[in-house]
Amino acid sequence: MTAFLYLAALLASTACMALLDRRFRLVLWRAPRAGAITVAIGIAFFLAWDLAAIASGHYAAGQSAGMTGIMLAPELPLEEIVFITFLCYLTLVLRGLVVLVLRRVPSAGYDGGRAAPRAGAGSAAGSVAGPAAGAAAGSEERP
């Protein structure tokens, strides 16, 4: 039974990330295609990194009672692929959460990458003269 503990922990953690993603529409529930492509690119990068490390002799699969022992390639356990997937997805979900928090904090000044001008920017209300000058300037009638 203990042979699947690490794999089960990785899958449960990934499921929790998916729940957060679904609740706040952060990655796969916001832009499924772009999110899946980004995760796939991350998996490919880290898998290539692992394979290069295995080929050069810098990495060898460890033995643990908590691992399944299923090898996808020499020195490449199943858990490594699941971990890489979790790592890539976690990174995207955390980025989405940070953006969400920054958008909700008014003093952070983060606009999500949009270049929209702030209220009062470039107007009399944002000038040295202060808000009273802006109110007076805004009270003029327009044709």
Side-chain angles (χ1 to χ4, degrees):
M1 181 66 184
T2 61
F4 288 91
L5 283 178
Y6 181 52
L7 182 60
L10 286 172
L11 292 173
S13 298
T14 304
C16 290
M17 287 294 113
L19 289 174
L20 274 173
D21 185 10
R22 180 175 176 232
R23 166 61 180 90
F24 295 106
R25 299 181 52 84
L26 302 169
V27 181
L28 297 178
W29 271 267
R30 175 179 296 265
R33 184 171 182 227
I37 289 170
T38 305
V39 170
I41 290 170
I43 292 169
F45 173 79
F46 284 115
L47 183 58
W49 182 315
D50 279 355
L51 292 175
I54 290 168
S56 67
H58 292 292
Y59 175 82
Q63 299 298 322
S64 169
M67 294 177 64
T68 62
I70 299 171
M71 301 299 247
L72 302 176
E75 304 299 331
L76 185 65
L78 170 66
E79 291 86 355
E80 183 69 9
I81 301 298
V82 177
F83 173 73
I84 289 171
T85 303
F86 169 73
L87 179 67
C88 293
Y89 191 37
L90 171 66
T91 302
L92 292 175
V93 168
L94 285 176
R95 185 231 177 245
L97 284 171
V98 168
V99 168
L100 182 70
V101 167
L102 289 177
R103 283 184 182 156
R104 291 185 179 185
V105 176
S107 63
Y110 182 74
D111 63 1
R114 295 186 260 312
R118 290 180 173 214
S123 70
S127 69
V128 179
S139 63
E140 300 174 28
E141 286 191 19
R142 308 230 173 191

